[in-house]
Amino acid sequence: MHDFARVLAAQIPGAVPRDVTVHFAVRRRAEARHGRRGRGGPVTVYAQALHSQLYGLPVDEGPLPTALDALLQAAHTADSLDQLGAILEQLAEQLRNAAEILEWARDHAHWRRLPDSTWEWLRDATDRTRDLGEGLDTVRSAFAAEPPQPQPVPRPAATHTAAATPVPSTGRHR
């Protein structure tokens, strides 16, 4: 554990570093220059980055966490689209694990002769969870590269002027 993390967590009496997050934002007077940019995440991640920058140490690019709360914190501190894609890939894997747990519970509901509605709910939840995992596999590739720049929509060329446009006649004259 970094000393920086301990010192930052000490700002909240009784808190341990793993439970503390930080958020950085610019002052109101600086918003015009920097926009409303801000960042935040686990104090331990920022302590590691601060330690690395101050002392020239390499940043540890360890594996992504598997616990969902830690994965959420990693998502808040991701710097690149590749990291976001990796986080979504890990989330998809966790959803597949959750689907297996739901399937296990469904089987136990059947064996224990729980009401049919319980078994059916677990079956539907298993299917939806698997669908979410597969959907994430599909959309995470969008995070692998920079998004395409929007192309201007071509306007149709006018074929005639307003003066040359015939006005339909109502058949009545004044």
Short mmCIF file of all heavy atoms in Angstrom, two decimals, residues 122-164:
data_model
loop_
_atom_site.label_atom_id
_atom_site.label_comp_id
_atom_site.label_asym_id
_atom_site.label_seq_id
_atom_site.Cartn_x
_atom_site.Cartn_y
_atom_site.Cartn_z
N LEU A 122 -35.92 -17.25 -12.58
CA LEU A 122 -34.49 -17.54 -12.68
C LEU A 122 -34.09 -17.91 -14.12
O LEU A 122 -33.02 -17.54 -14.59
CB LEU A 122 -34.09 -18.65 -11.71
CG LEU A 122 -34.07 -18.22 -10.24
CD1 LEU A 122 -34.00 -19.45 -9.33
CD2 LEU A 122 -32.91 -17.29 -9.97
N ARG A 123 -34.94 -18.63 -14.81
CA ARG A 123 -34.67 -18.96 -16.22
C ARG A 123 -34.58 -17.69 -17.06
O ARG A 123 -33.65 -17.50 -17.83
CB ARG A 123 -35.75 -19.88 -16.76
CG ARG A 123 -35.52 -20.28 -18.23
CD ARG A 123 -36.76 -20.79 -18.91
NE ARG A 123 -37.77 -19.74 -18.87
CZ ARG A 123 -39.09 -19.96 -18.89
NH1 ARG A 123 -39.56 -21.18 -18.94
NH2 ARG A 123 -39.93 -18.96 -18.86
N ASP A 124 -35.56 -16.79 -16.87
CA ASP A 124 -35.56 -15.53 -17.63
C ASP A 124 -34.36 -14.66 -17.27
O ASP A 124 -33.73 -14.06 -18.15
CB ASP A 124 -36.86 -14.76 -17.38
CG ASP A 124 -38.08 -15.46 -17.96
OD1 ASP A 124 -37.91 -16.36 -18.82
OD2 ASP A 124 -39.20 -15.11 -17.54
N ALA A 125 -34.02 -14.61 -15.99
CA ALA A 125 -32.87 -13.82 -15.56
C ALA A 125 -31.58 -14.39 -16.14
O ALA A 125 -30.69 -13.63 -16.56
CB ALA A 125 -32.80 -13.78 -14.04
N THR A 126 -31.48 -15.70 -16.21
CA THR A 126 -30.30 -16.34 -16.80
C THR A 126 -30.18 -15.95 -18.27
O THR A 126 -29.10 -15.56 -18.74
CB THR A 126 -30.39 -17.88 -16.68
OG1 THR A 126 -30.51 -18.22 -15.30
CG2 THR A 126 -29.17 -18.56 -17.27
N ASP A 127 -31.27 -16.03 -19.00
CA ASP A 127 -31.26 -15.68 -20.43
C ASP A 127 -30.91 -14.21 -20.65
O ASP A 127 -30.10 -13.88 -21.52
CB ASP A 127 -32.62 -16.00 -21.08
CG ASP A 127 -32.91 -17.50 -21.12
OD1 ASP A 127 -31.96 -18.30 -20.97
OD2 ASP A 127 -34.10 -17.86 -21.30
N ARG A 128 -31.52 -13.32 -19.87
CA ARG A 128 -31.24 -11.89 -20.02
C ARG A 128 -29.79 -11.57 -19.69
O ARG A 128 -29.15 -10.77 -20.36
CB ARG A 128 -32.18 -11.06 -19.14
CG ARG A 128 -33.60 -10.99 -19.68
CD ARG A 128 -34.43 -9.96 -18.95
NE ARG A 128 -34.47 -10.17 -17.51
CZ ARG A 128 -35.40 -10.85 -16.86
NH1 ARG A 128 -36.40 -11.39 -17.52
NH2 ARG A 128 -35.36 -10.97 -15.55
N THR A 129 -29.25 -12.21 -18.67
CA THR A 129 -27.87 -11.97 -18.28
C THR A 129 -26.91 -12.45 -19.37
O THR A 129 -25.94 -11.76 -19.69
CB THR A 129 -27.56 -12.65 -16.93
OG1 THR A 129 -28.51 -12.18 -15.97
CG2 THR A 129 -26.16 -12.33 -16.45
N ARG A 130 -27.19 -13.60 -19.95
CA ARG A 130 -26.36 -14.10 -21.07
C ARG A 130 -26.45 -13.13 -22.26
O ARG A 130 -25.45 -12.86 -22.92
CB ARG A 130 -26.81 -15.49 -21.49
CG ARG A 130 -26.28 -16.55 -20.58
CD ARG A 130 -26.41 -17.94 -21.19
NE ARG A 130 -25.85 -18.91 -20.27
CZ ARG A 130 -26.55 -19.85 -19.66
NH1 ARG A 130 -27.83 -19.98 -19.89
NH2 ARG A 130 -25.95 -20.68 -18.82
N ASP A 131 -27.66 -12.63 -22.53
CA ASP A 131 -27.84 -11.68 -23.63
C ASP A 131 -27.02 -10.41 -23.39
O ASP A 131 -26.43 -9.86 -24.32
CB ASP A 131 -29.31 -11.32 -23.81
CG ASP A 131 -30.13 -12.46 -24.40
OD1 ASP A 131 -29.53 -13.42 -24.94
OD2 ASP A 131 -31.37 -12.39 -24.30
N LEU A 132 -27.00 -9.93 -22.15
CA LEU A 132 -26.21 -8.74 -21.83
C LEU A 132 -24.72 -8.99 -22.08
O LEU A 132 -24.02 -8.14 -22.64
CB LEU A 132 -26.42 -8.33 -20.37
CG LEU A 132 -27.75 -7.67 -20.05
CD1 LEU A 132 -27.91 -7.52 -18.54
CD2 LEU A 132 -27.86 -6.32 -20.74
N GLY A 133 -24.22 -10.15 -21.67
CA GLY A 133 -22.81 -10.48 -21.90
C GLY A 133 -22.48 -10.53 -23.38
O GLY A 133 -21.46 -9.99 -23.83
N GLU A 134 -23.36 -11.16 -24.16
CA GLU A 134 -23.14 -11.23 -25.61
C GLU A 134 -23.23 -9.85 -26.24
O GLU A 134 -22.46 -9.53 -27.15
CB GLU A 134 -24.15 -12.18 -26.24
CG GLU A 134 -23.92 -13.64 -25.89
CD GLU A 134 -25.04 -14.55 -26.37
OE1 GLU A 134 -25.91 -14.08 -27.15
OE2 GLU A 134 -25.05 -15.72 -25.97
N GLY A 135 -24.16 -9.02 -25.76
CA GLY A 135 -24.28 -7.67 -26.28
C GLY A 135 -23.04 -6.84 -26.01
O GLY A 135 -22.58 -6.07 -26.87
N LEU A 136 -22.48 -7.00 -24.82
CA LEU A 136 -21.24 -6.28 -24.51
C LEU A 136 -20.10 -6.73 -25.40
O LEU A 136 -19.27 -5.92 -25.81
CB LEU A 136 -20.87 -6.47 -23.04
CG LEU A 136 -21.57 -5.56 -22.05
CD1 LEU A 136 -21.20 -5.94 -20.63
CD2 LEU A 136 -21.25 -4.12 -22.32
N ASP A 137 -20.04 -8.01 -25.71
CA ASP A 137 -19.02 -8.50 -26.64
C ASP A 137 -19.15 -7.81 -27.99
O ASP A 137 -18.16 -7.52 -28.66
CB ASP A 137 -19.12 -10.01 -26.82
CG ASP A 137 -18.59 -10.78 -25.62
OD1 ASP A 137 -17.75 -10.22 -24.89
OD2 ASP A 137 -19.01 -11.93 -25.42
N THR A 138 -20.39 -7.54 -28.39
CA THR A 138 -20.64 -6.90 -29.67
C THR A 138 -20.26 -5.41 -29.66
O THR A 138 -19.59 -4.94 -30.57
CB THR A 138 -22.13 -7.03 -30.05
OG1 THR A 138 -22.47 -8.41 -30.06
CG2 THR A 138 -22.42 -6.41 -31.39
N VAL A 139 -20.64 -4.69 -28.61
CA VAL A 139 -20.42 -3.24 -28.62
C VAL A 139 -19.04 -2.82 -28.13
O VAL A 139 -18.60 -1.71 -28.42
CB VAL A 139 -21.50 -2.50 -27.80
CG1 VAL A 139 -22.88 -2.76 -28.35
CG2 VAL A 139 -21.42 -2.84 -26.33
N ARG A 140 -18.32 -3.67 -27.42
CA ARG A 140 -17.03 -3.24 -26.89
C ARG A 140 -16.02 -2.96 -27.98
O ARG A 140 -15.09 -2.18 -27.78
CB ARG A 140 -16.49 -4.25 -25.89
CG ARG A 140 -15.95 -5.50 -26.47
CD ARG A 140 -15.40 -6.42 -25.38
NE ARG A 140 -15.23 -7.74 -25.86
CZ ARG A 140 -14.16 -8.17 -26.52
NH1 ARG A 140 -13.17 -7.35 -26.73
NH2 ARG A 140 -14.10 -9.40 -26.94
N SER A 141 -16.20 -3.55 -29.15
CA SER A 141 -15.26 -3.27 -30.26
C SER A 141 -15.33 -1.81 -30.67
O SER A 141 -14.36 -1.28 -31.21
CB SER A 141 -15.57 -4.18 -31.44
OG SER A 141 -16.86 -3.92 -31.94
N ALA A 142 -16.43 -1.14 -30.39
CA ALA A 142 -16.53 0.29 -30.72
C ALA A 142 -15.57 1.11 -29.87
O ALA A 142 -15.19 2.22 -30.26
CB ALA A 142 -17.96 0.78 -30.50
N PHE A 143 -15.12 0.57 -28.75
CA PHE A 143 -14.19 1.28 -27.89
C PHE A 143 -12.73 1.02 -28.26
O PHE A 143 -11.83 1.61 -27.70
CB PHE A 143 -14.40 0.89 -26.42
CG PHE A 143 -15.66 1.45 -25.86
CD1 PHE A 143 -16.85 0.76 -25.96
CD2 PHE A 143 -15.67 2.68 -25.23
CE1 PHE A 143 -18.02 1.27 -25.44
CE2 PHE A 143 -16.83 3.21 -24.72
CZ PHE A 143 -18.00 2.51 -24.83
N ALA A 144 -12.50 0.12 -29.21
CA ALA A 144 -11.13 -0.26 -29.55
C ALA A 144 -10.42 0.81 -30.39
O ALA A 144 -9.21 0.85 -30.43
CB ALA A 144 -11.14 -1.58 -30.31
N ALA A 145 -11.16 1.66 -31.05
CA ALA A 145 -10.55 2.68 -31.89
C ALA A 145 -11.27 4.00 -31.68
O ALA A 145 -12.35 4.05 -31.12
CB ALA A 145 -10.64 2.27 -33.35
N GLU A 146 -10.63 5.04 -32.14
CA GLU A 146 -11.25 6.36 -32.05
C GLU A 146 -12.55 6.35 -32.85
O GLU A 146 -12.63 5.74 -33.91
CB GLU A 146 -10.31 7.43 -32.62
CG GLU A 146 -9.07 7.64 -31.78
CD GLU A 146 -9.39 8.24 -30.41
OE1 GLU A 146 -10.33 9.03 -30.29
OE2 GLU A 146 -8.68 7.89 -29.46
N PRO A 147 -13.57 7.04 -32.36
CA PRO A 147 -14.83 7.07 -33.11
C PRO A 147 -14.63 7.80 -34.43
O PRO A 147 -13.82 8.72 -34.52
CB PRO A 147 -15.79 7.83 -32.18
CG PRO A 147 -14.93 8.55 -31.23
CD PRO A 147 -13.63 7.80 -31.14
N PRO A 148 -15.36 7.38 -35.48
CA PRO A 148 -15.21 8.06 -36.76
C PRO A 148 -15.71 9.50 -36.66
O PRO A 148 -16.65 9.79 -35.93
CB PRO A 148 -16.09 7.22 -37.70
CG PRO A 148 -17.04 6.51 -36.81
CD PRO A 148 -16.35 6.33 -35.49
N GLN A 149 -15.05 10.37 -37.40
CA GLN A 149 -15.46 11.77 -37.43
C GLN A 149 -16.75 11.89 -38.22
O GLN A 149 -16.90 11.26 -39.28
CB GLN A 149 -14.37 12.64 -38.06
CG GLN A 149 -13.08 12.65 -37.27
CD GLN A 149 -13.29 13.23 -35.88
OE1 GLN A 149 -14.02 14.20 -35.70
NE2 GLN A 149 -12.66 12.62 -34.90
N PRO A 150 -17.70 12.67 -37.72
CA PRO A 150 -18.96 12.81 -38.46
C PRO A 150 -18.71 13.49 -39.80
O PRO A 150 -17.96 14.46 -39.89
CB PRO A 150 -19.84 13.67 -37.55
CG PRO A 150 -18.90 14.32 -36.60
CD PRO A 150 -17.68 13.46 -36.50
N GLN A 151 -19.30 12.94 -40.84
CA GLN A 151 -19.18 13.50 -42.18
C GLN A 151 -20.31 14.47 -42.40
O GLN A 151 -21.44 14.23 -41.98
CB GLN A 151 -19.23 12.37 -43.22
CG GLN A 151 -18.12 11.35 -43.08
CD GLN A 151 -16.76 11.96 -43.30
OE1 GLN A 151 -16.60 12.81 -44.17
NE2 GLN A 151 -15.79 11.56 -42.51
N PRO A 152 -20.02 15.59 -43.08
CA PRO A 152 -21.12 16.54 -43.35
C PRO A 152 -22.14 15.89 -44.28
O PRO A 152 -21.79 15.14 -45.19
CB PRO A 152 -20.41 17.72 -44.02
CG PRO A 152 -19.09 17.20 -44.46
CD PRO A 152 -18.76 16.03 -43.61
N VAL A 153 -23.38 16.18 -44.02
CA VAL A 153 -24.45 15.64 -44.84
C VAL A 153 -24.60 16.53 -46.07
O VAL A 153 -24.78 17.74 -45.94
CB VAL A 153 -25.79 15.61 -44.05
CG1 VAL A 153 -26.92 15.09 -44.91
CG2 VAL A 153 -25.61 14.78 -42.80
N PRO A 154 -24.48 15.94 -47.26
CA PRO A 154 -24.61 16.77 -48.47
C PRO A 154 -26.04 17.27 -48.61
O PRO A 154 -26.99 16.54 -48.37
CB PRO A 154 -24.21 15.83 -49.61
CG PRO A 154 -24.36 14.46 -49.06
CD PRO A 154 -24.23 14.55 -47.57
N ARG A 155 -26.15 18.53 -49.01
CA ARG A 155 -27.48 19.11 -49.23
C ARG A 155 -27.86 18.91 -50.69
O ARG A 155 -27.00 19.03 -51.56
CB ARG A 155 -27.47 20.59 -48.90
CG ARG A 155 -27.16 20.83 -47.45
CD ARG A 155 -27.23 22.28 -47.15
NE ARG A 155 -27.93 22.39 -45.89
CZ ARG A 155 -28.60 23.44 -45.52
NH1 ARG A 155 -28.66 24.49 -46.28
NH2 ARG A 155 -29.21 23.47 -44.36
N PRO A 156 -29.12 18.62 -50.94
CA PRO A 156 -29.52 18.47 -52.34
C PRO A 156 -29.40 19.80 -53.07
O PRO A 156 -29.72 20.85 -52.52
CB PRO A 156 -30.97 17.99 -52.26
CG PRO A 156 -31.42 18.29 -50.88
CD PRO A 156 -30.20 18.42 -50.03
N ALA A 157 -28.90 19.73 -54.28
CA ALA A 157 -28.75 20.94 -55.09
C ALA A 157 -30.12 21.39 -55.58
O ALA A 157 -30.96 20.57 -55.97
CB ALA A 157 -27.83 20.67 -56.27
N ALA A 158 -30.35 22.68 -55.57
CA ALA A 158 -31.62 23.23 -56.06
C ALA A 158 -31.62 23.15 -57.57
O ALA A 158 -30.67 23.57 -58.23
CB ALA A 158 -31.79 24.66 -55.58
N THR A 159 -32.68 22.61 -58.14
CA THR A 159 -32.75 22.46 -59.59
C THR A 159 -33.41 23.65 -60.25
O THR A 159 -33.30 23.83 -61.45
CB THR A 159 -33.52 21.19 -59.96
OG1 THR A 159 -34.81 21.25 -59.35
CG2 THR A 159 -32.76 19.95 -59.48
N HIS A 160 -34.10 24.44 -59.45
CA HIS A 160 -34.74 25.63 -60.02
C HIS A 160 -34.88 26.67 -58.92
O HIS A 160 -34.82 26.37 -57.74
CB HIS A 160 -36.09 25.29 -60.64
CG HIS A 160 -37.02 24.57 -59.68
ND1 HIS A 160 -36.90 23.24 -59.42
CD2 HIS A 160 -38.05 25.03 -58.92
CE1 HIS A 160 -37.82 22.89 -58.53
NE2 HIS A 160 -38.53 23.97 -58.22
N THR A 161 -35.10 27.91 -59.32
CA THR A 161 -35.23 28.99 -58.34
C THR A 161 -36.67 29.12 -57.91
O THR A 161 -37.58 28.62 -58.57
CB THR A 161 -34.74 30.32 -58.94
OG1 THR A 161 -35.58 30.64 -60.04
CG2 THR A 161 -33.28 30.22 -59.37
N ALA A 162 -36.86 29.86 -56.86
CA ALA A 162 -38.21 30.06 -56.34
C ALA A 162 -39.08 30.79 -57.33
O ALA A 162 -40.27 30.55 -57.43
CB ALA A 162 -38.15 30.81 -55.01
N ALA A 163 -38.50 31.73 -58.11
CA ALA A 163 -39.29 32.49 -59.08
C ALA A 163 -39.80 31.60 -60.19
O ALA A 163 -40.83 31.85 -60.78
CB ALA A 163 -38.45 33.63 -59.66
N ALA A 164 -39.08 30.54 -60.50
CA ALA A 164 -39.48 29.65 -61.58
C ALA A 164 -40.41 28.55 -61.11
O ALA A 164 -40.90 27.78 -61.92
CB ALA A 164 -38.25 29.04 -62.24
#
